[in-house]
């Protein structure tokens, strides 16, 4: 799965870089995963950022829409066409406004003001990230610790100050095929039984290249028959017309902010 942590007070977001796919092979069910592909889950532009989880192909379309110049909020990819491949999305402006949020989340609420959120966490590692953030107040540390406990989060921790653009997203490839290529070349197969936690003896991992079905899986990856995910956890998002319109409205607000900044 994944871990994303957003500090609402500092307007900083962080996430892991792991992408995965479920496989049924001759010797059981596996999770095929790969880290540090350059295909990031956070994308920043001058007026704000979008961070995503779910289907990698759909996220590629969203990222290209988000970084297009000129930016056209109405040219949103069709998120309703294929109900099998879902995504969750959050949009935050450079001014710190949470403009759009669709997907399962955990929130750290101000005990004296229930309307104020200090931080928002998503993905399979969110409980660990949330607990850590309460101790240290740092989203980068929160995601780092979540990787220790959650086997579906891993790789380099990516982060971005949404107000300034400062961060480590410079390696962005925008190309979903980079995940497929990386999975074939250095992917890891994770097999687990029963209760699991990161580094548990219940988890057995081997390089994909060492599995008897390596050539078959590589061919499936190349053909696009295996899709990579950063699974959301929780309930899938139904992209109805109302939700799509709200996402477009969030994008229009980001475009307005950019026009003011450039004026």
């Amino acid at each position: 799965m994944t871990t994303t942590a957003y500090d609402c007070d500092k307007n900083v977001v962080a996430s892991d870089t792991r992408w995965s796919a479920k496989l049924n092979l001759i010797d059981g069910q596996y999770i095929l995963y790969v880290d540090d592909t350059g295909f990031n889950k956070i994308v920043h532009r001058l007026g704000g950022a979008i961070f995503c989880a779910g289907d990698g192909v759909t996220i590629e379309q969203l990222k290209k829409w988000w970084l297009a110049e000129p930016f056209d909020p109405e040219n949103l990819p069709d998120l309703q066409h294929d109900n099998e491949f879902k995504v969750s999305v959050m949009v935050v402006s450079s001014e710190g406004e949470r403009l759009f949020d669709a997907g399962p989340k955990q929130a750290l609420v101000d005990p004296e003001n229930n309307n104020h959120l200090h931080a928002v966490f998503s993905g399979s590692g969110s409980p660990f990230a949330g607990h850590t953030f309460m101790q240290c107040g740092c989203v980068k540390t929160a995601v780092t610790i979540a990787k220790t406990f959650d086997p579906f989060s891993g790789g380099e921790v990516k982060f971005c100050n949404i107000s300034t653009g400062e961060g480590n997203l410079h390696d962005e490839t925008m190309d979903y095929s980079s995940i497929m290529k990386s999975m074939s070349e250095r992917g890891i197969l994770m097999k687990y039984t029963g209760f699991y936690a990161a580094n548990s003896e219940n988890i057995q991992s081997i390089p994909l290249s060492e599995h008897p079905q390596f050539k078959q899986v590589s061919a499936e990856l190349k053909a696009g028959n295996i899709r990579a995910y950063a699974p959301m956890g929780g309930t899938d998002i139904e992209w109805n017309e109302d939700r799509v319109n709200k996402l477009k409205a969030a994008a229009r607000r980001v475009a307005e902010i950019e026009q003011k900044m450039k004026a």
Side-chain angles (χ1 to χ4, degrees):
M1 294 188 184
T2 192
T3 302
T4 299
Y6 170 58
D7 185 331
C8 306
D9 297 322
K10 297 178 181 177
N11 206 20
V12 175
V13 62
S15 78
D16 71 309
T17 62
R18 180 161 294 181
W19 292 89
S20 60
K22 292 182 179 180
L23 301 180
N24 286 312
L25 302 180
I26 55 175
D27 56 339
Q29 185 177 31
Y30 284 89
I31 301 292
L32 171 62
Y33 72 85
V34 67
D35 300 332
D36 305 330
T37 64
F39 190 83
N40 299 319
K41 304 166 190 176
I42 305 168
V43 185
H44 177 269
R45 60 179 297 123
L46 188 62
I50 186 170
F51 20 109
C52 309
D55 175 54
V57 174
T58 308
I59 291 173
E60 178 188 52
Q61 296 171 0
L62 280 167
K63 286 164 50 166
K64 289 181 177 178
W65 165 67
W66 191 255
L67 289 185
E69 294 294 351
F71 182 37
D72 182 1
E74 306 304 316
N75 195 33
L76 179 69
D78 186 356
L79 300 177
Q80 298 174 274
H81 176 69
D82 194 337
N83 289 324
E84 182 181 356
F85 303 112
K86 300 289 179 60
V87 292
S88 68
V89 174
M90 181 181 280
V91 174
V92 179
S93 79
S94 59
E95 297 179 351
E97 305 165 281
R98 286 185 297 109
L99 299 172
F100 181 84
D101 186 2
K105 303 286 191 304
Q106 294 190 23
L108 178 59
V109 181
D110 190 323
E112 297 181 359
N113 179 5
N114 289 335
N115 293 321
H116 179 74
L117 299 183
H118 286 299
V120 180
F121 311 93
S122 62
S124 52
S126 58
F128 310 110
H131 179 75
T132 302
F133 183 85
M134 290 177 65
Q135 308 301 315
C136 69
C138 174
V139 290
K140 291 184 285 184
T141 301
V143 175
T144 299
I145 297 301
K147 292 191 304 174
T148 304
F149 293 97
D150 175 34
F152 301 111
S153 299
E156 182 182 6
V157 175
K158 294 294 181 180
F159 69 95
C160 179
N161 183 313
I162 301 171
S163 297
T164 66
E166 179 184 1
N168 62 348
L169 304 179
H170 54 275
D171 66 338
E172 176 62 65
T173 67
M174 296 297 294
D175 187 355
Y176 167 83
S177 66
S178 64
I179 303 175
M180 299 290 96
K181 185 174 184 292
S182 296
M183 278 188 169
S184 181
E185 293 178 350
R186 54 183 178 85
I188 302 294
L189 287 170
M190 178 195 302
K191 186 176 183 180
Y192 61 87
T193 57
F195 177 78
Y196 59 88
N199 303 314
S200 165
E201 62 183 12
N202 290 326
I203 293 180
Q204 306 166 30
S205 297
I206 62 167
L208 171 62
S209 59
E210 295 181 8
H211 194 275
Q213 290 180 268
F214 167 60
K215 290 184 179 179
Q216 177 187 335
V217 173
S218 293
E220 294 288 302
L221 288 167
K222 187 175 182 179
N225 296 328
I226 297 172
R227 293 175 76 121
Y229 287 81
M232 300 173 285
T235 306
D236 282 342
I237 304 305
E238 291 296 333
W239 283 96
N240 53 36
E241 186 175 355
D242 179 63
R243 186 164 276 144
V244 167
N245 288 335
K246 287 180 179 178
L247 179 52
K248 288 181 180 179
R252 287 195 294 269
R253 173 60 182 150
V254 169
E256 290 171 3
I257 292 172
E258 292 184 358
Q259 289 178 348
K260 293 179 181 178
M261 297 173 73
K262 294 175 181 177

